[in-house]
Amino acid sequence: MTAPEADLAGWSVAPFSAAGYTHDVYRKGSGPGVVLIPELPGIHPGVLGLGNHLVDSGFTVAIPSLFGKPGRPVSMPYLVAAIGRACVAREFAAMTTDTQRPVAVYLRALARDLNASTPGLGVGVIGQCFTGGFALAAAVDDSVLAPVLSQPSVPFPLTAKQRRDPGLSAAELGVVADRCTDQGLCALGLRFSADKLSPGERFTTLKQRLGDAFEVIEIDSGPGNEHGFTRAAHSVLTDEVREVDGHPAYEARKRVVEFLTQRLT
């Protein structure tokens, strides 16, 4: 059994501009809005499989094409090239700590735009891997009621300081923390326990700052784990999902849908 995948069938596309950047945004579905930020190398078939699942679960999904070629399958050369380009892009500031990234401002504008055209109380934002922390940065905007951080990997965790960094600036995190206290905002974080690309120290920082408002799902990928995850297990909501009841990544995906439903309706 493999992870769910899909193609671009049924997705509409139009450019969206904000904060000095323009990206094509793929949209599909009806119901409350969810911004699904793709992982590297881009809107690959696994991301589209997750997008279709969210659509089937009753959401309007908007996927901004921040990098890569939409619909193209993942290959090692494609992934390496995408990582190289993303690492040097000022929009993402992949290496710096305590940073407000321009992409976060773009995503807040996209969230507001989606919120204005969908019926929910607000919108959800799901970030994955390279874009995982962008979801929480988007929650600076009041339109975002359900940020989901799946294996957030930026800044790349090469030093102890980078591993502890929450993936957004101290000022942005302060706004999010205030929203948690004053408005009841909650966030959901997902990672594999042995995933060095998405270090546990990052979730420790967020848990210390956000407390019970930050729900963590950590899937055991250590030696001898029950479900046979390797130490390379990384993509909780795409590559590692097997649609079998009791499978940890499948159950995590269920929890994401439940979290979005609870917060947006």
Side-chain angles (χ1 to χ4, degrees):
M1 183 176 291
T2 58
E5 294 187 342
D7 57 25
L8 289 165
W11 291 85
S12 65
V13 59
F16 180 79
S17 300
Y21 295 92
T22 298
H23 298 290
D24 282 343
V25 176
Y26 290 76
R27 299 180 190 244
K28 191 177 186 179
S30 59
V34 176
V35 177
L36 175 59
I37 319 171
E39 59 196 352
L40 286 169
I43 306 176
H44 63 72
V47 171
L48 291 166
L50 174 59
N52 280 350
H53 178 71
L54 294 170
V55 169
D56 292 342
S57 298
F59 298 101
T60 301
V61 179
I63 312 179
S65 182
L66 302 180
F67 30 68
K69 181 178 179 181
R72 180 176 174 178
V74 178
S75 67
M76 189 52 66
Y78 177 36
L79 178 60
V80 170
I83 291 172
R85 286 191 292 270
C87 281
V88 299
R90 179 182 175 275
E91 185 178 7
F92 307 127
M95 307 301 293
T96 56
T97 58
D98 189 12
T99 296
Q100 175 169 287
R101 293 170 170 83
V103 69
V105 183
Y106 176 88
L107 292 168
R108 288 170 205 152
L110 178 58
R112 288 193 298 271
D113 179 77
L114 183 61
N115 187 45
S117 62
T118 52
L121 301 174
V123 299
V125 181
I126 301 174
Q128 306 170 86
C129 180
F130 186 83
T131 68
F134 302 169
L136 194 61
V140 167
D141 194 274
D142 287 346
S143 66
V144 178
L145 298 185
V148 178
L149 298 70
S150 194
Q151 74 274 356
S153 305
V154 169
F156 287 137
L158 303 179
T159 67
K161 184 178 181 181
Q162 288 168 325
R163 289 192 293 272
R164 292 191 303 268
D165 190 90
L168 65 168
S169 69
E172 289 171 311
L173 184 55
V175 173
V176 171
D178 287 345
R179 289 195 64 205
C180 291
T181 300
D182 300 335
Q183 300 175 23
L185 179 71
C186 293
L188 176 61
L190 317 168
R191 67 179 295 272
F192 284 98
S193 64
D195 185 2
K196 295 188 181 302
L197 288 173
S198 181
E201 294 96 321
R202 185 159 295 154
F203 276 13
T204 298
T205 295
L206 291 170
K207 192 69 176 175
Q208 288 172 342
R209 190 62 193 276
L210 304 181
D212 291 342
F214 185 50
E215 176 185 345
V216 173
I217 296 176
E218 187 173 82
I219 299 172
D220 182 12
S221 59
N225 68 85
E226 177 184 356
H227 293 272
F229 293 113
T230 70
R231 287 185 298 175
H234 177 63
S235 297
V236 177
L237 298 176
T238 56
D239 294 352
E240 300 297 337
V241 170
R242 303 295 181 269
E243 293 183 317
V244 177
D245 284 337
H247 185 275
Y250 182 53
E251 297 300 325
R253 194 184 70 174
K254 286 184 184 178
R255 175 57 189 142
V256 168
V257 171
E258 179 183 54
F259 176 72
L260 294 170
T261 302
Q262 289 171 339
R263 305 300 299 179
L264 304 182
T265 63

